[in-house]
Amino acid sequence: MIRYEVKNETESEEVKYVCFVDDDTFPQNKFALPVPPILLSLHGCGIIDTSCGLVCLEGSLRKSDNSETDMVVLWNPSIRKSIAIVVPNDGPSRFYPLVGFGVCPETKDPKLVKISSKNDDDDDDDDDGNQVMVFTLSSREWRCLSSNHLPRKSLVFDNSSQTVIGRFLYRFVFNGELYLISSFDLTNEEFGEVPLPDSLRRSYLFISKLRESLVLIDDNEESTTEDIDVFDIWMMMEDGAFTKLFIINNASVERIIRIMGFKKTGEPLVEIDVREDDNSDPTPVLVVYEPCLDHININDLGICRGAAFFAMCSYNKSLLLLDYDDGIILIRNPKKQNSLLNSYMKMLPWLEFDIQVEILKRLPVKSLIQFRSVCKAWKSLIDSSPFISDHNNVGHHPLSEHLMIKCGASEENYVCFVDDDSDSFPQNKFATPPVPPIFRLFWPFNTAIHSSCGLLCVEGLLREPDNSKTHMVVLWNPSIRKSIAIVVPNVGAPSGFIYAATSRVIPFVGFGVCPETKDPKLIKISSRNDDENQVMVFTLSSREWRCLSSNQLPLKSLEFKNYCQTVIGRFLYGLAFDGEFYLIWSFDLSTDEFREVPLPDSLRRSYLDMSKVRESLVLIDEEKGHSSTDMQVFDVWMMMEDGAFTKLFTIKKASIERILGFRKTGEPVVEIEIEIVDDVTTALIGVYEPCLDHIKDLGICRSATFSVMCSYNESLLLLDHDDDDGCIVRAVEN
Amino acid sequence: MSKKTLTLMSKDKQLFNIEEHLAVQSVTIRNMVKEDGASSVIPLPRVDSETLALVIEYLNRQQAPEEDEDYVKKFVDERGEIPTLLELAQAALDLDIKKLMDAACMKVADLIKDFTLEEVREALRIENDRTPEEEKAIRDEFQWAF
């Protein structure tokens, strides 16, 4: 399908673009196009050419200081996208720089060729001749082509017409004496000359194309008489020779002024002058000329123009530019980068979509999931990895902190709260998202749920069809209800081995999302043969486990304490025992490096619980056998910015059994034992308010097992993973 | 030292004066002033006069830094109409006035977060470019959210 586009400046100087579908229905199938806003700001706008569905226009932008910048706009009308490119201006040139345009048919990379002919009054040293610069959209840069690519140095490039056929860009050139056609190969960037019959070299010809052949239009200026327009149409044949295709010998009343181009049937579109009577000014009108009938239907297209010329081009539909953002490409590495221009650009009417992006970034996840359906652009934005990563950055969503508490083995035992600042806590309980479907085949360990960047990590055993058990972790984003299960490789353990209750044989699995790449990462440390900890790392992007050389571990004979971990920023913290003392280690999620975090000696003697308050590491030291009374004593330590630990507060309260974690206000969420019947403990969960020494009941009661808690933010992570909810990644071990 | 005044021109050619030290809260204007001294009128071809008046009111505020956050919030809260807020957000984005842009976008996000799809399209003047069948297919990916 080919369309014609006509630029029509009416008397009010309004620029109009009209399209026709170039098929049998022509010219019934006509439609208007929304014009890229930048075009409205350009002066002296003209169409350079079309190639592979892209329309290339040029014009100049007048800045506030009245200086002008030459610009080229690449526009794909089929998908309504455009990119503007600033044309470098080398010095005070008299002319518009001459810009050629074509899309390389092999790479589909749009290319611009700028030829600045040297001033005539330049000194005679023609050493540089015509200076040629080439721009490719993929590189976004202008670079110089050495001038010896030009066939002759003293050519005068005319800037009125060009045409692209296949991989060649043709132009009409004057060498000071005769005319010739230069070709530029869009693939290898070489200039050439197309041989012309001598008879065609004497006058200026208009260059065009008919289907995929080069056509020259000779308007026989000298030879025409007053009454008859004679145009010779020449076509370049496959062997490179030129043949006269037909002659337009129009004797009708209306005078043909110019041939604009051709329909794909070969009929020319021409500009004619229409006068209502002999005294009135002529009105230029665009019509189709039918050579066989020597006929013109004036009302055919219904287009007449004002002061400026018509411009016409034919284009196909294409998807080029789809992968580019609308915008302006400034000149890079020029002598002077003009930030004024840069500032000015920001005000051009393009940014409609930018403001939508800014608003979307600030919406809660659920709204975003709904608003994917608003339009295509929103869906592709929301689903894109940069948006997913960016959206998770804190500060945008005042209500996005959640506490999830699990107080039993079954699905109903997950409860969520919005952890907001208001006094409404804990009323703001919300429907807990359904647990991932894989949980039905899965025995989650009841020991911990870890969270990082809105993803929860639940570790457990999967019951295989043959009744064997596979150690795995499920990454779960409750905000968008997506999950991915990952099998933890079982190196060294006997096949069919069922993990026993002793933590010594279950490898340690740590989880964190690298804050820079937003790539979820797992580390597995298996204490094999007691003296060598083998470390493996899994990233969701690679879907592979790979070994980390163990010498990155500070000490080889550590016993890593399962389930005790916390992610803060880019560090994953955990607890280990070196046979004598406890220590805290950190794992850098960006660089995969282990470090030891220095602890005060007093904290190294007993098992510690680890948690966080906002973005600080917190250790909970339960003082056992502290006193003869039933009083439970918990010391809460916080790691300060300088790495030192400070005792935050001490909780002494008889009824508190365990500290599960902290609200963002710093108040601990605790478990209170209420009764033991037949060895089954029943406990309540509440928030301890240290100032009031009071426990606010959360209305959750735990049965048989431990309860665990984690806090998480809303996030879009996993949205761009195509997998079905709950799919299992059985990663290959490397 | 006398205070220098800049003149800003809105889309509809209205002129507004503002002291330079206040105007340069806009990074865009700051760059322009740095570049050429901006002796003449600075044209703001995308900002209409009503919006520019709001922006000027904001730039002229005399708040202590610690009250600034609250002021910006209140400033946009008082202009609760979505079209006004969109114009304001767009102007703040173009002029690179971050706090104002943040607050205006946050306010719009707050207002539209519970809208239906049709209401969102109407509020932000977005055309639905899918057929009902295509739209349903997208919704079905996350049925629970509707």
Side-chain angles (χ1 to χ4, degrees), chain A residues 403-407 413-415 417 669 685 698 700 708-709:
Chain A
L403 297 181
M404 181 182 280
I405 298 171
K406 174 178 165 261
C407 51
N413 292 128
Y414 292 82
V415 186
F417 295 91
V669 178
I685 294 163
L698 288 182
I700 311 170
V708 294
M709 186 200 101

Side-chain angles (χ1 to χ4, degrees), chain A residues 464-723:
Chain A
E464 299 282 6
D466 63 354
N467 258 339
S468 65
K469 311 281 187 297
T470 305
H471 182 198
M472 56 193 321
V473 293
V474 176
L475 303 186
W476 175 26
N477 183 340
S479 315
I480 64 164
R481 306 194 183 183
K482 259 194 138 174
S483 65
I484 291 180
I486 296 147
V487 172
V488 179
N490 187 9
V491 184
S495 65
F497 170 80
I498 297 173
Y499 290 109
T502 55
S503 63
R504 197 79 183 95
V505 281
I506 299 176
F508 169 87
V509 176
F511 160 72
V513 177
C514 172
E516 284 147 33
T517 60
K518 298 283 176 191
D519 194 10
K521 217 171 225 186
L522 296 173
I523 57 171
K524 186 200 104 166
I525 304 170
S526 48
S527 36
R528 201 176 51 181
N529 305 331
D530 280 353
D531 48 275
E532 198 188 340
N533 287 306
Q534 202 211 4
V535 181
M536 294 185 88
V537 176
F538 174 92
T539 56
L540 190 57
S541 59
S542 74
R543 302 186 155 235
E544 268 180 359
W545 289 92
R546 65 188 153 76
C547 286
L548 262 192
S549 57
S550 326
N551 58 9
Q552 281 179 295
L553 275 181
L555 295 165
K556 294 199 170 175
S557 53
L558 293 178
E559 185 190 321
F560 284 78
K561 292 297 179 188
N562 293 37
Y563 322 126
C564 183
Q565 55 172 286
T566 287
V567 179
I568 292 162
R570 57 181 236 222
F571 292 103
L572 167 66
Y573 295 96
L575 183 72
F577 184 61
D578 68 1
E580 197 173 348
F581 292 110
Y582 286 92
L583 60 96
I584 305 286
W585 51 266
S586 72
F587 175 76
D588 187 325
L589 293 162
S590 304
T591 62
D592 290 352
E593 275 171 16
F594 282 95
R595 286 269 154 71
E596 185 184 336
V597 178
L599 269 187
D601 278 349
S602 64
L603 287 175
R604 301 192 57 189
R605 282 174 228 287
S606 59
Y607 183 84
L608 299 165
D609 247 339
M610 196 178 275
S611 184
K612 67 175 171 179
V613 171
R614 292 194 185 150
E615 286 303 297
S616 297
L617 182 67
V618 161
L619 301 174
I620 304 158
D621 185 10
E622 187 181 342
E623 294 182 25
K624 293 196 179 73
H626 183 265
S627 68
S628 51
T629 61
D630 289 340
M631 195 66 92
Q632 297 272 12
V633 180
F634 299 92
D635 291 329
V636 178
W637 295 75
M638 183 185 262
M639 186 165 80
M640 311 312 284
E641 267 174 41
D642 58 359
F645 282 85
T646 310
K647 198 186 280 187
L648 210 59
F649 49 79
T650 301
I651 300 173
K652 281 189 195 171
K653 184 128 181 106
S655 50
I656 295 179
E657 182 72 8
R658 266 176 359 109
I659 296 180
L660 302 179
F662 296 86
R663 288 190 57 201
K664 68 173 181 187
T665 54
E667 293 164 342
V669 178
V670 297
E671 207 178 87
I672 317 141
E673 207 164 276
I674 46 174
E675 56 174 352
I676 306 173
V677 179
D678 298 337
D679 269 0
V680 175
T681 317
T682 307
L684 281 179
I685 294 163
V687 174
Y688 177 67
E689 294 168 347
C691 319
L692 307 169
D693 189 22
H694 168 259
I695 292 170
K696 196 198 267 177
D697 186 8
L698 288 182
I700 311 170
C701 185
R702 86 152 161 84
S703 52
T705 52
F706 280 116
S707 46
V708 294
M709 186 200 101
C710 75
S711 60
Y712 68 95
N713 298 315
E714 284 195 350
S715 123
L716 289 172
L717 290 188
L718 301 189
L719 183 63
D720 51 348
H721 282 265
D722 299 330
D723 315 275

